[in-house]
Amino acid sequence: MLTPEILDTFRGLLDEAKASGDREPTAMNLATVDGTGRVHSRIVLLKAIDEHGLHFFTNYESAKAGEIAAHGQVAVCFHWKQIREGIQVRFEGRASKVSDAESDAYFASRPRGSQIGAWASKQSQELPNRQTFEDRVAHYEKEFDGRDVPRPAHWGGYLVEPDRIEFWYGATFRLHERIVHTDHGTSWTSRLLYP
């Protein structure tokens, strides 16, 4: 469980990033490892953070989902260059699927076009040409015409439960401030790191 101090610090920084005009302040780099040990990285969007951790949503048949299934340890990094002298927040921990109820609730809040896209996209699989994808979009638009789009079983959320968090505050001459919080199971400890 994240401490109130960690949550308040992160939420305050996220609010600063939102106020700064950043087009995607919830964008986070998610790093995963596949079954062979190869590291993969991509940007996903944070949809919620609470005392349990960070929530994001994706296709459960995607490459990232396969990597999480093979090796549940992940790393996440936010980088907000335009606030203060630049800030990074790094989370490391285990990712697991959220409940169907949470996935259903978030899916229902998405724009209809994004809901259709979740059905049409075979995320990370080879696409022979763009027209094939556009045909799939048209197919599902027709299938769900005049009714709500249900969440496909292959789409849902993940919770990243961090056990290590670093707040990195940029400074001139690269004299950065780094504060690391580590979960020891029953309590968290904090320490400073050299830049």
Side-chain angles (χ1 to χ4, degrees), residues 28-33 39-42 44 54 56 68 71-78 89-95 160 162-164:
M28 57 188 193
N29 183 287
L30 171 69
T32 54
V33 179
V39 178
H40 302 266
S41 169
R42 82 289 290 150
V44 298
L54 302 100
F56 71 93
I68 290 170
H71 186 84
Q73 292 292 328
V74 301
V76 167
C77 184
F78 293 85
V89 185
R90 299 171 55 197
F91 294 85
E92 296 172 6
R94 180 163 291 281
V160 177
D163 53 27
R164 185 180 190 279

Side-chain angles (χ1 to χ4, degrees), residues 121-137:
S121 177
K122 297 179 177 183
Q123 194 174 88
S124 304
Q125 296 181 32
E126 186 173 340
L127 176 64
N129 54 62
R130 183 68 186 185
Q131 188 61 49
T132 299
F133 179 54
E134 290 173 4
D135 291 346
R136 286 181 60 81
V137 170

